[in-house]
């Protein structure tokens, strides 16, 4: 969605409310398509004291298998976007400033970029996920699997004996 913001630059005190959604279900993210429901974008673009601002929040639901146990996990994310909008820029680039081309802003492109940058590189069903047993593949979040505990490195047995002697 391309917004024509010319009226904000011409009228101080004007506000353009924004309440829309984007379908990003076809976006490939680390080999998955985790954004199954529409991304909701709410906020406004406004002009105050000669400064044009964009203030929106993108809400999305990220659904992907847990990186430790493989169970499907769904988490909601809110990605805030606060930017100053300018028609001309004299002093190079700044991440907080968006240079508009002919007073137009591609809101879809901006939201898409910010959401992709905000997504986690590691997805967990919960912070303390125990993962899978190395031996049988059982989900350790469901309880102990019953496999024998792995013996330590035999080269460190001398150190283990020292620890046992101190008890």
């Amino acid at each position: 969605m391309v917004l024509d913001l010319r009226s904000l630059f011409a009228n101080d005190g004007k506000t353009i409310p924004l309440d829309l959604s984007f379908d990003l279900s076809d976006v490939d993210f680390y080999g998955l398509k985790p954004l199954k429901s529409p991304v909701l974008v709410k906020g406004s673009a406004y002009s105050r004291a000669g400064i044009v601002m964009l203030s929106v929040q993108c809400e999305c639901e990220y659904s992907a298998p847990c990186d430790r146990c493989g169970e499907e996990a769904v988490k909601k994310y809110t990605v805030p976007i606060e930017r100053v909008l300018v028609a001309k820029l004299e002093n190079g680039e700044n991440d907080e400033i968006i240079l508009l081309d002919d007073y137009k802003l591609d809101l879809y492109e901006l939201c898409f970029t910010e959401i992709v940058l905000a997504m986690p590189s590691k997805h967990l069903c919960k912070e303390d996920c125990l993962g899978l047993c190395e031996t049988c593949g059982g989900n350790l979040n469901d309880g102990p699997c019953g496999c024998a505990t792995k013996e330590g490195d035999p080269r460190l047995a001398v150190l283990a004996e020292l620890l046992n002697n101190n008890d």
Side-chain angles (χ1 to χ4, degrees), residues 46 56 67 87 95 100-101:
Y46 56 90
V56 295
D67 288 336
D95 290 342
L100 301 177
D101 183 27

Side-chain angles (χ1 to χ4, degrees), residues 66-162:
C66 175
D67 288 336
R68 291 184 187 160
C69 70
E71 294 291 321
E72 192 71 16
V74 177
K75 291 200 177 182
K76 292 186 179 195
Y77 290 95
T78 300
V79 180
I81 303 173
E82 299 272 339
R83 298 289 189 278
V84 175
L85 306 174
V86 296
K88 324 181 239 190
L89 187 60
E90 296 175 12
N91 296 333
E93 291 187 22
N94 184 329
D95 290 342
E96 301 301 315
I97 297 174
I98 296 176
L99 176 62
L100 301 177
D101 183 27
D102 195 29
Y103 298 98
K104 293 187 171 125
L105 172 68
D106 187 344
L107 191 59
Y108 174 85
E109 182 182 327
L110 176 64
C111 290
F112 172 81
T113 302
E114 293 296 320
I115 288 169
V116 169
L117 291 174
M119 288 298 106
S121 59
K122 185 170 191 140
H123 189 68
L124 300 176
C125 59
K126 56 186 181 179
E127 289 300 316
D128 60 346
C129 177
L130 299 174
L132 303 175
C133 173
E134 293 177 12
T135 306
C136 70
N139 189 339
L140 297 175
N141 293 315
D142 297 336
C145 61
C147 292
T149 58
K150 188 175 178 182
E151 292 295 319
D153 187 337
R155 296 172 291 180
L156 301 176
V158 174
L159 293 175
E161 286 179 28
L162 288 173

